[in-house]
Amino acid sequence: MKIPRYPAAERGLAMVVVLVFILILSGVAAFAVRRVMFGEHVARNVLDMEVARQAAEAALRDAERDISLAADVEGAACARGDDRPINSAYGEPNFGTDCPRGQCRFGDQSPAAYYAASNSKSKTNPEPWWPAAMGGVGWKASPPSTCNFTGAVPLGTFTGTPGVTGVSRQPEYLIEYMQRGDDIYFRNTARGWGLDPNTEVVLQSYFKRS
């Protein structure tokens, strides 16, 4: 009599091995996707920062043109008025602590001593471009709606310079009256944004009229 033989019971070892390999491959793929997305995010931020920097550079050049112009510009949003061109009347009311039409002046008697004692932590002798929490007066939440404003000047307001494309807000600048001895010069502070309104760059330059 021949005794029948039955196959050995399956223990599922092969399935466990396959599942482990699938789990490993899934982890590797997820890590690769995460790295790609992180790299794309970093590249996008770098590009947006560069856009904001170039916008701030454009505002600095616009401030220098604003200082140098001698007459109104056709097509500009605002007429230059009696306070522009910036040539002889460097004091009040053309320049003031509330930065009328972007023209700031601090320390009327001794600007050099005023700035030497500036301290943002103690809010001592604030500079106009500091945040409001530090005593600054220059930056506003939104661009001015009229030509009689205080604070920063949006690009092209007095010069007719075309706006910058690909930004969340047009760059703006402040012009500070500075003096060292008999030399009169200006410190221009510009702020630019990228496509993301949270991307912001602040630049400064010193300008002396010839």
Side-chain angles (χ1 to χ4, degrees):
M1 179 177 177
K2 191 174 182 179
I3 300 175
R5 302 182 63 182
Y6 298 97
E10 294 184 1
R11 300 180 183 276
L13 181 60
M15 182 177 295
V16 172
V17 173
V18 171
L19 289 176
V20 169
F21 272 104
I22 291 177
L23 182 62
I24 293 174
L25 291 175
S26 299
V28 172
F31 178 75
V33 170
R34 185 180 180 86
R35 281 184 61 86
V36 169
M37 293 181 64
F38 178 75
E40 182 182 359
H41 183 70
V42 170
R44 189 184 303 114
N45 286 346
V46 171
L47 176 61
D48 209 35
M49 184 67 71
E50 182 63 21
V51 169
R53 187 191 66 80
Q54 292 184 11
E57 287 276 5
L60 284 181
R61 302 290 82 80
D62 202 48
E64 294 175 2
R65 188 181 181 207
D66 188 1
I67 295 171
S68 302
L69 285 173
D72 287 350
V73 177
E74 184 177 356
C78 294
R80 301 179 66 77
D82 295 336
D83 58 339
R84 284 173 165 87
I86 304 169
N87 47 21
S88 58
Y90 293 116
E92 299 282 1
N94 295 350
F95 287 77
T97 56
D98 59 346
C99 302
R101 306 222 295 175
Q103 300 178 135
C104 312
R105 176 165 180 162
F106 293 86
D108 291 338
Q109 301 301 319
S110 179
Y114 177 93
Y115 285 110
S118 291
N119 187 308
S120 61
K121 291 184 178 180
S122 62
K123 303 181 184 179
T124 302
N125 293 1
E127 298 177 7
W129 53 273
W130 286 358
M134 298 297 180
V137 297
W139 303 136
K140 303 296 182 182
S142 59
S145 57
T146 68
C147 291
N148 295 317
F149 59 90
T150 58
V153 181
L155 180 76
T157 299
F158 298 109
T159 63
T161 301
V164 178
T165 59
V167 296
S168 58
R169 176 176 169 180
Q170 289 301 307
E172 56 192 22
Y173 61 85
L174 293 166
I175 300 173
E176 283 181 85
Y177 168 89
M178 310 285 283
Q179 184 171 356
R180 186 177 297 276
D182 294 332
D183 293 331
I184 295 174
Y185 56 97
F186 304 94
R187 180 169 69 173
N188 302 321
T189 304
R191 183 167 69 157
W193 289 268
L195 184 60
D196 184 344
N198 294 318
T199 303
E200 181 181 321
V201 173
V202 176
L203 299 177
Q204 284 187 327
S205 68
Y206 290 84
F207 184 77
K208 187 174 186 296
R209 291 185 61 177
S210 58

